[in-house]
Amino acid sequence: MFLVILRCLSIEARLCLSLYPIPLHEKESGSQGSENDNKPLGKKKAPKATKGLKKTPLQEVEQDSSDEEEQQSHGKSSTVTKKKVRRAAKKPKKAERLEARQELPGEDGVEHWVEVFTPKDSKWIPVDAVHGSVGDVSQIRQPLLYVLGIQDGRVRELTAKYCSGWLPKKSRVRENWWQQSLEPFRPAPSERDLLEDKQLESRLFRQPMPSAITELKGHPVYVLKRHLLKYEALYPADAPPLGFVRGEPVYARECVHTLRSRESWLREARMVRVREEPYKRVKGRAKKDLLSGMSTERELELFGLWQTEPYMPPVAFGGKVPRNEWGNVELFKSCMLPVGTVHLKAPALGRVAAKLNIDCVPAVVGFEGHGRGVHPVFDGWVVCEEFADTLMMAWQEEQVNISDRQEEKRQKRVFGNWRRLIRGALIRARLRDKYLGDTGDD
């Protein structure tokens, strides 16, 4: 109701919700010791000596040895009993710590509040209508897992604004699934959102560096070498560390760059410079020989952006379109179009070009995986500029001829259907007159 009143007063506001998804890992309950473990073991009673019988020297020796064994066994059993009692006493404390760590948020605090935008300061100020506080977030239910801001049917994640620390992964859902779920509801980027992102980023940089290795994994500011992915590397190689965690250097996340192979850079309209050494070598996908059926492992060479240059398209000469070794034109980006050519998207254009003896090459715009392999995706044709108008006019005439032939075929089919219908009606009338006469019965 408070949000409705603000919007009726033409005050820009948005609703903030605190979400608590189901943890990925189930809560582990501490194993309680059994009652038998908590009870001390009873002492074994020594066998009573038989009265009235005198012991022989051999019996006395045996009695002494049995007494020693009993004392040793009693000492061992008492030691085991003490260990079990200590273990049973420690188990409830460990279970309590585990439950306290994985305890769900309590019932105190608010789970939804309103943010009001102030044009003077260009900031969103939280307003708690339940407790009547402005700019105070102490009444929000803790701990925070996800915070979303909803405005005009659009959703914006505000977790970094209200959650200063990094939460354990067991309390959060999968990051890829979460980002894909929010993607259809994200608002279009605006100057106000960019300004808010800069404020959140500056706030993030002011936080101290984490002291645990687990907190550094996936951190947007800091990174360890052990957490780098297969196609990631630090550049420059001698980047100075920002600190150390357990003797391991910590680097800035801005030094992490994504590496690509030569083919991958070509799809981004970039080429690896000549005589560039690969910045990193990784294990590539195994290649299977169709003749022998054996798979051979390959080494994949990776390069960084600083080792590439913009793609220089070839030049068409003599009415011939430059093509690759497979007879296609790689057109992953519009800037990769060969100089002096045009890209025409018309179906069956190659057949018309073959009739006119014009060089026409299919354009490869990407790749897709199906049928246990990767196959090229074709879209349109590449021809020289001087033949583009002639080819398009011939293609339009061909399309007119095709439509005329289709119309003629359709009319022929319609006339044939009417002919069969009329012929069937005449045959039916003739049979009726011949066999039924003037009775009029069908």
Side-chain angles (χ1 to χ4, degrees):
M1 182 61 69
F2 179 66
L3 180 62
V4 174
I5 295 174
L6 291 177
R7 291 182 176 178
C8 291
L9 297 176
S10 300
I11 298 177
E12 190 171 0
R14 64 186 178 189
L15 178 64
C16 296
L17 299 177
S18 179
L19 304 181
Y20 298 94
I22 300 176
L24 292 178
H25 303 278
E26 297 181 358
K27 184 185 295 185
E28 299 177 1
S29 59
S31 58
Q32 301 293 338
S34 60
E35 296 180 357
N36 297 332
D37 294 342
N38 295 333
K39 293 182 180 180
L41 298 177
K43 297 181 180 180
K44 294 182 180 180
K45 295 182 179 180
K48 296 182 179 180
T50 307
K51 295 182 180 180
L53 296 177
K54 190 176 181 179
K55 297 181 180 179
T56 61
L58 181 60
Q59 291 178 347
E60 291 180 358
V61 173
E62 292 178 353
Q63 180 67 26
D64 295 339
S65 61
S66 63
D67 292 341
E68 292 178 359
E69 292 177 358
E70 182 180 355
Q71 291 178 2
Q72 292 178 1
S73 62
H74 178 67
K76 292 181 179 179
S77 61
S78 61
T79 305
V80 174
T81 303
K82 291 179 181 179
K83 290 182 179 180
K84 290 187 177 181
V85 171
R86 292 175 185 173
R87 194 179 304 166
K90 290 182 179 179
K91 282 180 180 178
K93 295 182 180 180
K94 184 177 180 180
E96 290 176 1
R97 290 197 303 268
L98 188 60
E99 291 179 0
R101 191 187 311 162
Q102 297 183 353
E103 185 179 1
L104 293 176
E107 298 181 357
D108 299 335
V110 295
E111 297 181 1
H112 51 273
W113 61 95
V114 177
E115 279 189 350
V116 180
F117 182 76
T118 56
K120 182 178 179 180
D121 300 331
S122 298
K123 293 183 179 180
W124 290 91
I125 300 178
V127 178
D128 185 5
V130 178
H131 299 86
S133 60
V134 178
D136 185 13
V137 295
S138 60
Q139 300 295 335
I140 299 177
R141 185 177 176 183
Q142 298 292 335
L144 289 174
L145 299 182
Y146 290 98
V147 179
L148 299 180
I150 304 175
Q151 182 184 12
D152 299 333
R154 295 297 180 180
V155 179
R156 180 174 173 81
E157 187 175 2
L158 305 175
T159 308
K161 181 177 181 180
Y162 292 94
C163 182
S164 58
W166 294 97
L167 301 175
K169 290 187 176 181
K170 66 179 70 175
S171 302
R172 299 171 67 92
V173 296
R174 294 182 179 88
E175 189 65 22
N176 295 337
W177 176 87
W178 177 250
Q179 297 299 333
Q180 292 177 2
S181 301
L182 293 181
E183 188 63 30
F185 307 99
R186 294 186 187 276
S190 60
E191 295 182 1
R192 183 180 303 173
D193 295 338
L194 295 177
L195 179 61
E196 186 178 10
D197 292 339
K198 290 182 179 179
Q199 294 175 357
L200 295 177
E201 186 177 357
S202 62
R203 178 183 177 184
L204 184 63
F205 276 97
R206 289 195 299 268
Q207 294 181 3
M209 185 175 64
S211 58
I213 294 179
T214 55
E215 296 178 356
L216 288 171
K217 188 173 183 179
H219 200 283
V221 181
Y222 308 102
V223 66
L224 296 175
K225 278 189 176 181
R226 65 164 69 181
H227 295 154
L228 294 177
L229 301 180
K230 181 178 180 180
Y231 295 97
E232 291 182 347
L234 293 175
Y235 181 79
D238 55 349
L242 303 180
F244 293 88
V245 174
R246 295 185 179 180
E248 190 171 353
V250 180
Y251 299 93
R253 174 64 68 173
E254 60 184 9
C255 296
V256 179
H257 296 267
T258 302
L259 307 180
R260 302 175 186 269
S261 61
R262 297 179 185 270
E263 295 78 9
S264 298
W265 279 121
L266 183 61
R267 297 173 191 175
E268 298 296 329
R270 300 192 67 87
M271 296 179 60
V272 178
R273 290 195 293 264
V274 183
R275 297 180 182 178
E276 282 287 347
E277 293 293 332
Y279 196 76
K280 185 179 180 181
R281 288 183 172 89
V282 297
K283 183 179 179 181
R285 183 177 298 178
K287 185 177 181 180
K288 186 176 182 180
D289 190 3
L290 299 179
L291 298 178
S292 61
M294 301 294 293
S295 298
T296 57
E297 296 183 356
R298 297 184 301 171
E299 188 180 50
L300 186 61
E301 297 180 348
L302 302 179
F303 301 86
L305 179 63
W306 59 93
Q307 296 177 295
T308 63
E309 59 185 4
Y311 177 78
M312 299 297 295
V315 181
F317 180 77
K320 296 294 182 180
V321 179
R323 63 201 74 190
N324 57 11
E325 54 184 329
W326 292 281
N328 306 319
V329 175
E330 296 173 339
L331 197 60
F332 306 112
K333 302 288 184 180
S334 59
C335 59
M336 299 179 65
L337 185 66
V339 180
T341 61
V342 292
H343 184 208
L344 303 178
K345 296 182 179 181
L349 190 64
R351 183 174 65 252
V352 179
K355 294 179 180 179
L356 300 177
N357 198 17
I358 296 177
D359 190 21
C360 185
V361 183
V364 179
V365 296
F367 291 89
E368 62 180 4
H370 60 83
R372 296 184 179 181
V374 180
H375 305 275
V377 178
F378 298 95
D379 185 18
W381 306 80
V382 179
V383 297
C384 294
E385 293 179 347
E386 56 268 22
F387 302 117
D389 296 337
T390 305
L391 185 59
M392 289 304 299
M393 291 178 61
W395 179 81
Q396 292 175 359
E397 293 178 359
E398 181 70 16
Q399 294 300 313
V400 172
N401 296 333
I402 291 175
S403 61
D404 292 342
R405 289 195 297 268
Q406 291 178 352
E407 180 64 21
E408 182 180 355
K409 186 177 180 180
R410 189 187 68 85
Q411 291 181 0
K412 185 178 180 180
R413 186 174 63 254
V414 170
F415 292 151
N417 293 338
W418 276 109
R419 186 180 297 108
R420 285 193 297 271
L421 178 61
I422 295 173
R423 184 179 299 174
L426 293 176
I427 293 174
R428 184 173 180 272
R430 186 167 59 252
L431 293 176
R432 183 184 57 186
D433 295 340
K434 181 177 180 180
Y435 294 101
L436 297 180
D438 297 335
T439 58
D441 297 335
D442 292 340

